[in-house]
Amino acid sequence: MVENFKPVTVGNVTFGQGRPKIIVPLVGKTAEEILTGARQAKDLDCDLIEWRIDFYEKVTTPSEVAALSKEVCSAVEKPVLVTFRTAKEGGVLEISDQLYFDIYAAVLNEGHADLIDLELFMSDKEVQETIALAHEKGTKIIMCNHDFDATPSQDEIERRLCLMEEKNADICKIAVMPQSNTDVLTLLQATATVYATATRPLITMSMGALGMVSRVSGEVFGSSATFGAAAKASAPGQVPVAELRNILSTLKLTNED
């Protein structure tokens, strides 16, 4: 870790310091399901909640998303990451890029989010406008990239993570699909290499059962958070949240949370 590394704090949670933080996804379809999940998540042993708004039945109406975001944040009583995962990166709904940015603008202007998720390969102009608005509102940016088919080369994983940093993300995230155990090693080596000179926190993972080890070894290699499943997983290989804290505690390098 370099001297000008910048940990990211939202609420009482700091990424890039201590053990990896546990994020649990909410993937309900209706407002009732989402708020029920949010109230249950309040009592889970996790640090943040990710509201996957692409599952929400009214997500194409930005004002509805904004209004519900305030209720979700109030019900959870933990920091909330708002994420629209596009279909091309593993999400459940295909929408226009314009609507994607309109939804986030509504959440930032009329609703609430402690963090929002922006995909790396979106239009840079709109990405930068959204980042500027988020920072104006005190909201942090997780910039991400997902490959559900394969694991890119180590150089390419490193390039994408560094590009996120250049684009002014607060946290840089990548998730890839392994086809072999060496693919998992590629992801972990890329993480360690980038982390050695990174100025902001990373979140990296190798998906599926093969990559599950990457979801619990972040403190060793430099990934600052991991996603745990409460009821329904939002990606393959997520460890049940009830087990995740114990695993991270067993593998701890220091006593610092």
Coordinates of all heavy atoms in Angstrom, one line a residue, residues 26-100:
L26 N -29.7 -7.0 -1.6 CA -31.1 -7.1 -1.6 C -31.6 -7.2 -3.0 O -31.3 -6.4 -3.9 CB -31.8 -5.8 -1.0 CG -31.6 -5.5 0.4 CD1 -32.3 -4.1 0.7 CD2 -32.2 -6.6 1.3
V27 N -32.4 -8.3 -3.3 CA -32.7 -8.6 -4.7 C -34.2 -8.8 -4.9 O -34.7 -9.5 -5.7 CB -32.0 -9.8 -5.3 CG1 -30.5 -9.5 -5.4 CG2 -32.2 -11.0 -4.4
G28 N -35.0 -8.1 -4.0 CA -36.5 -8.2 -4.1 C -37.0 -7.6 -5.4 O -36.4 -6.7 -5.9
K29 N -38.2 -8.0 -5.8 CA -38.9 -7.5 -7.0 C -39.8 -6.4 -6.6 O -39.9 -5.3 -7.3 CB -39.6 -8.6 -7.7 CG -40.3 -8.1 -9.0 CD -40.9 -9.3 -9.7 CE -41.6 -8.8 -11.0 NZ -42.3 -9.9 -11.7
T30 N -40.6 -6.6 -5.6 CA -41.6 -5.5 -5.2 C -41.1 -4.7 -4.0 O -40.1 -5.1 -3.3 CB -42.9 -6.2 -4.7 OG1 -42.7 -6.9 -3.5 CG2 -43.4 -7.2 -5.8
A31 N -41.7 -3.5 -3.8 CA -41.3 -2.7 -2.7 C -41.4 -3.4 -1.4 O -40.6 -3.3 -0.5 CB -42.1 -1.4 -2.7
E32 N -42.5 -4.2 -1.3 CA -42.7 -4.9 0.0 C -41.6 -5.9 0.2 O -41.1 -6.0 1.4 CB -44.1 -5.6 -0.1 CG -44.5 -6.4 1.2 CD -45.8 -7.1 1.1 OE1 -46.5 -6.9 0.1 OE2 -46.2 -7.7 2.1
E33 N -41.3 -6.7 -0.8 CA -40.2 -7.7 -0.6 C -38.9 -7.0 -0.3 O -38.1 -7.4 0.5 CB -40.0 -8.4 -2.0 CG -41.1 -9.4 -2.3 CD -41.0 -10.0 -3.7 OE1 -40.1 -9.6 -4.4 OE2 -41.7 -11.0 -3.9
I34 N -38.6 -5.8 -0.9 CA -37.3 -5.1 -0.7 C -37.3 -4.6 0.7 O -36.2 -4.7 1.4 CB -37.2 -4.0 -1.8 CG1 -37.0 -4.6 -3.2 CG2 -36.0 -3.0 -1.4 CD1 -37.3 -3.6 -4.3
L35 N -38.4 -4.0 1.2 CA -38.4 -3.4 2.5 C -38.3 -4.5 3.6 O -37.7 -4.3 4.6 CB -39.5 -2.5 2.7 CG -39.5 -1.2 1.9 CD1 -40.8 -0.4 2.0 CD2 -38.3 -0.3 2.3
T36 N -39.0 -5.6 3.3 CA -38.9 -6.7 4.3 C -37.5 -7.2 4.4 O -36.9 -7.5 5.5 CB -39.8 -7.9 3.8 OG1 -41.2 -7.4 3.8 CG2 -39.7 -9.1 4.7
G37 N -36.8 -7.4 3.2 CA -35.4 -7.8 3.2 C -34.5 -6.7 3.9 O -33.6 -7.1 4.6
A38 N -34.8 -5.5 3.7 CA -34.0 -4.4 4.4 C -34.2 -4.5 5.9 O -33.2 -4.4 6.6 CB -34.5 -3.0 3.8
R39 N -35.4 -4.7 6.4 CA -35.6 -4.8 7.8 C -34.9 -6.0 8.4 O -34.3 -6.0 9.5 CB -37.1 -4.8 8.1 CG -37.7 -3.4 7.9 CD -39.2 -3.5 8.4 NE -40.1 -4.2 7.6 CZ -40.7 -3.7 6.6 NH1 -40.6 -2.4 6.3 NH2 -41.5 -4.4 5.8
Q40 N -34.9 -7.1 7.6 CA -34.2 -8.3 8.1 C -32.6 -8.1 8.1 O -31.9 -8.6 8.9 CB -34.5 -9.5 7.2 CG -36.0 -9.9 7.4 CD -36.4 -11.0 6.3 OE1 -35.8 -11.1 5.3 NE2 -37.6 -11.6 6.6
A41 N -32.2 -7.4 7.0 CA -30.7 -7.1 6.9 C -30.2 -6.3 8.0 O -29.0 -6.4 8.3 CB -30.5 -6.5 5.5
K42 N -31.0 -5.5 8.6 CA -30.6 -4.7 9.8 C -29.9 -5.5 10.8 O -29.0 -5.1 11.5 CB -31.8 -3.9 10.3 CG -31.5 -3.0 11.5 CD -32.7 -2.2 11.9 CE -33.7 -3.1 12.6 NZ -34.8 -2.3 13.2
D43 N -30.5 -6.8 11.0 CA -30.0 -7.6 12.1 C -28.9 -8.6 11.6 O -28.4 -9.4 12.4 CB -31.2 -8.4 12.7 CG -32.2 -7.4 13.3 OD1 -31.7 -6.4 14.0 OD2 -33.4 -7.6 13.2
L44 N -28.6 -8.6 10.3 CA -27.5 -9.5 9.8 C -26.2 -9.0 10.3 O -25.9 -7.8 10.4 CB -27.6 -9.6 8.3 CG -28.8 -10.3 7.7 CD1 -28.7 -10.2 6.1 CD2 -28.8 -11.8 8.1
D45 N -25.2 -10.0 10.4 CA -23.9 -9.6 10.7 C -23.1 -9.2 9.4 O -22.2 -9.9 9.0 CB -23.2 -10.8 11.4 CG -21.8 -10.4 11.9 OD1 -21.5 -9.2 11.9 OD2 -21.1 -11.3 12.4
C46 N -23.5 -8.1 8.9 CA -22.8 -7.5 7.7 C -22.6 -6.1 7.9 O -23.1 -5.4 8.9 CB -23.7 -7.8 6.5 SG -25.3 -6.9 6.5
D47 N -21.8 -5.5 7.0 CA -21.4 -4.1 7.2 C -22.2 -3.1 6.3 O -22.4 -2.0 6.7 CB -19.9 -3.9 6.9 CG -19.1 -4.8 7.8 OD1 -19.0 -4.5 9.0 OD2 -18.4 -5.7 7.3
L48 N -22.6 -3.6 5.1 CA -23.3 -2.8 4.2 C -24.4 -3.6 3.5 O -24.3 -4.8 3.5 CB -22.4 -2.2 3.1 CG -21.3 -1.2 3.4 CD1 -20.0 -1.9 3.7 CD2 -21.2 -0.2 2.3
I49 N -25.3 -2.9 2.9 CA -26.3 -3.6 2.1 C -26.2 -3.0 0.7 O -26.0 -1.8 0.4 CB -27.7 -3.2 2.6 CG1 -27.9 -3.8 4.0 CG2 -28.8 -3.8 1.7 CD1 -27.7 -5.2 4.2
E50 N -26.2 -3.9 -0.3 CA -26.3 -3.5 -1.7 C -27.7 -3.7 -2.2 O -28.3 -4.8 -2.2 CB -25.4 -4.4 -2.6 CG -25.5 -3.9 -4.1 CD -24.7 -4.8 -5.0 OE1 -24.7 -6.1 -4.8 OE2 -24.1 -4.3 -5.9
W51 N -28.4 -2.6 -2.6 CA -29.7 -2.7 -3.2 C -29.6 -2.9 -4.7 O -29.2 -1.9 -5.3 CB -30.6 -1.5 -2.8 CG -32.0 -1.6 -3.4 CD1 -32.7 -2.8 -3.8 CD2 -32.9 -0.5 -3.7 NE1 -33.9 -2.5 -4.3 CE2 -34.0 -1.1 -4.3 CE3 -32.8 0.8 -3.6 CZ2 -35.1 -0.3 -4.7 CZ3 -33.8 1.6 -4.0 CH2 -35.0 1.0 -4.6
R52 N -29.9 -4.1 -5.2 CA -29.8 -4.3 -6.6 C -31.1 -3.9 -7.3 O -32.0 -4.6 -7.4 CB -29.5 -5.8 -6.9 CG -28.1 -6.2 -6.7 CD -27.2 -5.8 -7.9 NE -27.8 -6.4 -9.1 CZ -27.4 -7.6 -9.6 NH1 -26.5 -8.3 -9.0 NH2 -28.0 -8.0 -10.7
I53 N -31.1 -2.6 -7.7 CA -32.3 -2.0 -8.2 C -32.7 -2.6 -9.6 O -33.9 -2.4 -10.0 CB -32.2 -0.5 -8.3 CG1 -31.1 -0.1 -9.2 CG2 -32.0 0.1 -6.9 CD1 -31.0 1.4 -9.5
D54 N -31.9 -3.3 -10.3 CA -32.3 -3.9 -11.5 C -33.3 -5.0 -11.3 O -34.0 -5.4 -12.3 CB -31.1 -4.4 -12.3 CG -30.1 -5.3 -11.6 OD1 -29.6 -4.8 -10.5 OD2 -29.8 -6.4 -12.0
F55 N -33.4 -5.5 -10.1 CA -34.5 -6.5 -9.8 C -35.8 -5.9 -9.5 O -36.9 -6.5 -9.6 CB -34.1 -7.4 -8.6 CG -33.0 -8.4 -8.8 CD1 -31.7 -8.1 -8.8 CD2 -33.4 -9.7 -9.1 CE1 -30.7 -9.1 -9.0 CE2 -32.5 -10.7 -9.3 CZ -31.1 -10.4 -9.3
Y56 N -35.8 -4.6 -9.2 CA -37.0 -3.9 -8.7 C -38.0 -3.7 -9.9 O -37.6 -3.2 -11.0 CB -36.6 -2.5 -8.1 CG -37.8 -1.7 -7.7 CD1 -38.9 -2.2 -7.1 CD2 -37.6 -0.3 -7.8 CE1 -40.0 -1.3 -6.7 CE2 -38.6 0.6 -7.3 CZ -39.8 0.0 -6.8 OH -40.8 0.9 -6.3
E57 N -39.3 -4.1 -9.7 CA -40.3 -4.0 -10.8 C -40.5 -2.6 -11.4 O -41.0 -2.5 -12.5 CB -41.6 -4.7 -10.4 CG -42.3 -4.0 -9.2 CD -43.5 -4.7 -8.7 OE1 -43.8 -5.7 -9.3 OE2 -44.2 -4.2 -7.8
K58 N -40.3 -1.6 -10.6 CA -40.5 -0.2 -11.0 C -39.2 0.5 -11.3 O -39.2 1.8 -11.3 CB -41.4 0.5 -10.0 CG -42.8 -0.1 -9.8 CD -43.6 0.7 -8.8 CE -45.0 0.1 -8.7 NZ -45.8 0.9 -7.7
V59 N -38.2 -0.2 -11.6 CA -36.9 0.5 -11.7 C -36.8 1.4 -12.9 O -36.1 2.4 -12.9 CB -35.7 -0.5 -11.8 CG1 -35.8 -1.3 -13.1 CG2 -34.4 0.1 -11.6
T60 N -37.7 1.2 -13.9 CA -37.7 2.1 -15.1 C -38.4 3.4 -14.8 O -38.4 4.3 -15.7 CB -38.3 1.4 -16.3 OG1 -39.6 0.9 -15.9 CG2 -37.5 0.2 -16.7
T61 N -38.9 3.6 -13.6 CA -39.5 4.9 -13.2 C -38.5 5.5 -12.2 O -38.6 5.2 -11.0 CB -40.9 4.7 -12.7 OG1 -41.7 4.0 -13.6 CG2 -41.5 6.1 -12.4
P62 N -37.6 6.4 -12.6 CA -36.6 6.9 -11.7 C -37.1 7.5 -10.4 O -36.6 7.3 -9.3 CB -35.9 8.0 -12.5 CG -36.0 7.5 -13.9 CD -37.4 6.9 -14.0
S63 N -38.3 8.2 -10.4 CA -38.8 8.8 -9.2 C -39.2 7.7 -8.2 O -39.1 7.9 -7.0 CB -40.0 9.7 -9.5 OG -41.1 8.9 -10.2
E64 N -39.7 6.5 -8.7 CA -40.1 5.4 -7.8 C -38.8 4.9 -7.1 O -38.9 4.6 -5.9 CB -40.8 4.3 -8.6 CG -42.1 4.7 -9.1 CD -43.3 4.6 -8.1 OE1 -43.0 4.2 -7.0 OE2 -44.4 4.8 -8.5
V65 N -37.7 4.8 -7.8 CA -36.5 4.3 -7.3 C -36.0 5.2 -6.2 O -35.6 4.8 -5.1 CB -35.4 4.1 -8.4 CG1 -34.2 3.5 -7.8 CG2 -35.9 3.2 -9.5
A66 N -36.0 6.5 -6.5 CA -35.5 7.5 -5.6 C -36.3 7.5 -4.3 O -35.8 7.5 -3.2 CB -35.6 8.9 -6.2
A67 N -37.7 7.4 -4.4 CA -38.5 7.4 -3.2 C -38.2 6.2 -2.4 O -38.1 6.3 -1.1 CB -40.0 7.5 -3.6
L68 N -38.1 5.0 -3.0 CA -37.9 3.8 -2.3 C -36.5 3.7 -1.7 O -36.3 3.1 -0.6 CB -38.1 2.6 -3.2 CG -38.1 1.2 -2.5 CD1 -39.1 1.1 -1.3 CD2 -38.4 0.1 -3.5
S69 N -35.5 4.4 -2.3 CA -34.2 4.4 -1.8 C -34.1 5.0 -0.4 O -33.4 4.5 0.5 CB -33.2 5.1 -2.7 OG -33.5 6.5 -2.7
K70 N -34.9 6.0 -0.1 CA -35.0 6.6 1.2 C -35.5 5.7 2.2 O -35.0 5.6 3.4 CB -35.8 7.9 1.2 CG -35.1 9.0 0.4 CD -35.7 10.4 0.5 CE -37.0 10.4 -0.3 NZ -37.5 11.8 -0.4
E71 N -36.6 4.9 1.8 CA -37.2 3.9 2.8 C -36.2 2.8 3.0 O -36.1 2.3 4.2 CB -38.5 3.4 2.2 CG -39.6 4.4 2.0 CD -40.9 3.8 1.6 OE1 -41.4 3.0 2.3 OE2 -41.3 4.0 0.4
V72 N -35.5 2.3 2.0 CA -34.5 1.3 2.2 C -33.5 1.7 3.2 O -33.1 0.9 4.1 CB -33.9 0.8 0.9 CG1 -32.7 -0.1 1.1 CG2 -35.0 0.1 0.0
C73 N -32.9 2.9 3.0 CA -31.8 3.3 3.9 C -32.3 3.5 5.3 O -31.6 3.1 6.2 CB -31.3 4.7 3.3 SG -30.4 4.5 1.8
S74 N -33.5 3.9 5.5 CA -34.1 4.1 6.8 C -34.3 2.8 7.5 O -34.1 2.6 8.7 CB -35.4 4.9 6.7 OG -36.0 5.0 8.0
A75 N -34.8 1.8 6.7 CA -35.1 0.5 7.3 C -33.8 -0.3 7.6 O -33.8 -1.0 8.6 CB -35.9 -0.4 6.3
V76 N -32.8 -0.2 6.8 CA -31.6 -1.0 7.0 C -30.7 -0.5 8.2 O -30.1 -1.3 8.9 CB -30.7 -0.9 5.7 CG1 -29.3 -1.4 5.9 CG2 -31.3 -1.8 4.6
E77 N -30.6 0.8 8.4 CA -29.8 1.4 9.4 C -28.3 1.0 9.2 O -27.6 0.8 10.2 CB -30.3 1.0 10.8 CG -31.7 1.6 11.1 CD -32.2 1.3 12.5 OE1 -31.4 0.8 13.3 OE2 -33.4 1.6 12.7
K78 N -27.9 0.8 8.0 CA -26.5 0.5 7.7 C -26.3 1.3 6.4 O -27.2 1.7 5.7 CB -26.2 -1.0 7.4 CG -26.5 -1.9 8.5 CD -26.3 -3.4 8.0 CE -26.8 -4.4 9.0 NZ -25.9 -4.6 10.1
P79 N -25.0 1.5 6.0 CA -24.7 2.1 4.7 C -25.3 1.3 3.6 O -25.3 0.1 3.6 CB -23.2 2.2 4.6 CG -22.8 2.2 6.1 CD -23.8 1.3 6.8
V80 N -25.8 2.0 2.5 CA -26.4 1.3 1.4 C -25.7 1.7 0.1 O -25.5 2.8 -0.2 CB -27.9 1.7 1.3 CG1 -28.6 1.1 0.0 CG2 -28.7 1.2 2.5
L81 N -25.4 0.6 -0.7 CA -24.9 0.7 -2.0 C -26.0 0.5 -3.0 O -26.7 -0.6 -2.9 CB -23.8 -0.3 -2.2 CG -23.3 -0.7 -3.6 CD1 -22.7 0.5 -4.4 CD2 -22.4 -1.9 -3.6
V82 N -26.3 1.4 -3.9 CA -27.3 1.3 -4.9 C -26.7 0.9 -6.2 O -25.8 1.6 -6.7 CB -28.1 2.6 -5.0 CG1 -29.1 2.5 -6.2 CG2 -28.9 2.9 -3.7
T83 N -27.2 -0.2 -6.7 CA -26.5 -0.8 -7.9 C -27.6 -1.1 -9.0 O -28.5 -1.9 -8.7 CB -25.8 -2.1 -7.6 OG1 -24.7 -1.8 -6.7 CG2 -25.2 -2.7 -8.8
F84 N -27.4 -0.6 -10.2 CA -28.1 -1.1 -11.4 C -27.1 -1.9 -12.2 O -26.2 -1.3 -12.8 CB -28.7 0.0 -12.3 CG -29.6 -0.7 -13.3 CD1 -31.0 -0.7 -13.2 CD2 -29.0 -1.3 -14.5 CE1 -31.8 -1.3 -14.2 CE2 -29.8 -1.9 -15.4 CZ -31.2 -1.9 -15.3
R85 N -27.2 -3.2 -12.2 CA -26.3 -4.1 -12.9 C -26.9 -4.3 -14.3 O -28.0 -4.8 -14.4 CB -26.1 -5.4 -12.2 CG -25.2 -6.4 -12.9 CD -23.7 -5.9 -13.0 NE -23.2 -5.7 -11.6 CZ -22.8 -4.5 -11.2 NH1 -22.8 -3.4 -12.0 NH2 -22.3 -4.4 -10.0
T86 N -26.2 -3.8 -15.3 CA -26.7 -3.9 -16.7 C -26.7 -5.4 -17.2 O -26.0 -6.2 -16.6 CB -25.9 -3.1 -17.7 OG1 -24.6 -3.6 -17.7 CG2 -25.9 -1.6 -17.2
A87 N -27.6 -5.7 -18.1 CA -27.7 -7.0 -18.6 C -26.4 -7.5 -19.2 O -26.0 -8.7 -19.0 CB -28.8 -7.1 -19.7
K88 N -25.6 -6.7 -19.8 CA -24.4 -7.1 -20.4 C -23.3 -7.5 -19.4 O -22.3 -8.1 -19.7 CB -23.8 -6.1 -21.4 CG -23.4 -4.7 -20.8 CD -22.8 -3.8 -21.8 CE -22.5 -2.4 -21.2 NZ -23.6 -1.6 -20.8
E89 N -23.5 -7.0 -18.1 CA -22.6 -7.4 -17.1 C -23.2 -8.3 -16.0 O -22.8 -8.3 -14.8 CB -22.0 -6.1 -16.4 CG -21.1 -5.3 -17.4 CD -19.9 -4.7 -16.8 OE1 -19.6 -5.0 -15.6 OE2 -19.2 -4.0 -17.5
G90 N -24.3 -9.0 -16.4 CA -24.9 -10.0 -15.5 C -26.2 -9.6 -14.8 O -26.7 -10.4 -14.0
G91 N -26.7 -8.4 -15.1 CA -28.0 -8.0 -14.5 C -29.2 -8.6 -15.1 O -29.1 -9.4 -16.1
V92 N -30.4 -8.3 -14.6 CA -31.6 -9.0 -15.0 C -32.4 -8.2 -16.0 O -33.4 -8.7 -16.5 CB -32.5 -9.3 -13.8 CG1 -31.7 -10.2 -12.8 CG2 -32.9 -8.0 -13.0
L93 N -32.1 -6.9 -16.3 CA -32.9 -6.1 -17.2 C -32.0 -5.3 -18.1 O -31.0 -4.7 -17.7 CB -33.7 -5.2 -16.3 CG -34.7 -4.3 -17.0 CD1 -35.9 -5.1 -17.6 CD2 -35.3 -3.2 -16.0
E94 N -32.5 -5.2 -19.4 CA -31.8 -4.4 -20.3 C -32.5 -3.1 -20.5 O -33.7 -3.0 -20.7 CB -31.7 -5.1 -21.7 CG -30.8 -4.4 -22.7 CD -30.3 -5.3 -23.8 OE1 -30.5 -6.6 -23.7 OE2 -29.8 -4.8 -24.8
I95 N -31.8 -2.0 -20.3 CA -32.3 -0.6 -20.4 C -31.3 0.2 -21.2 O -30.2 -0.2 -21.4 CB -32.6 0.1 -19.1 CG1 -31.3 0.2 -18.3 CG2 -33.6 -0.7 -18.3 CD1 -31.4 1.1 -17.0
S96 N -31.8 1.4 -21.7 CA -30.9 2.3 -22.4 C -29.9 2.9 -21.5 O -30.1 3.0 -20.3 CB -31.7 3.4 -23.1 OG -32.3 4.3 -22.1
D97 N -28.8 3.3 -22.0 CA -27.8 4.0 -21.2 C -28.3 5.3 -20.6 O -28.0 5.6 -19.5 CB -26.5 4.3 -22.1 CG -25.7 3.1 -22.4 OD1 -26.1 2.0 -22.0 OD2 -24.7 3.2 -23.1
Q98 N -29.2 6.0 -21.4 CA -29.7 7.2 -20.9 C -30.6 7.0 -19.6 O -30.5 7.7 -18.6 CB -30.6 7.9 -21.9 CG -31.1 9.3 -21.5 CD -30.0 10.3 -21.2 OE1 -29.2 10.5 -22.0 NE2 -30.0 10.8 -20.0
L99 N -31.4 5.9 -19.6 CA -32.2 5.6 -18.5 C -31.4 5.2 -17.3 O -31.6 5.6 -16.1 CB -33.2 4.5 -18.8 CG -34.2 4.1 -17.7 CD1 -34.9 5.3 -17.1 CD2 -35.2 3.0 -18.2
Y100 N -30.3 4.5 -17.6 CA -29.3 4.1 -16.5 C -28.9 5.3 -15.7 O -28.9 5.4 -14.5 CB -28.2 3.4 -17.2 CG -27.0 3.0 -16.3 CD1 -26.9 1.8 -15.7 CD2 -25.9 3.8 -16.2 CE1 -25.8 1.4 -14.9 CE2 -24.8 3.5 -15.5 CZ -24.7 2.3 -14.8 OH -23.6 1.9 -14.1

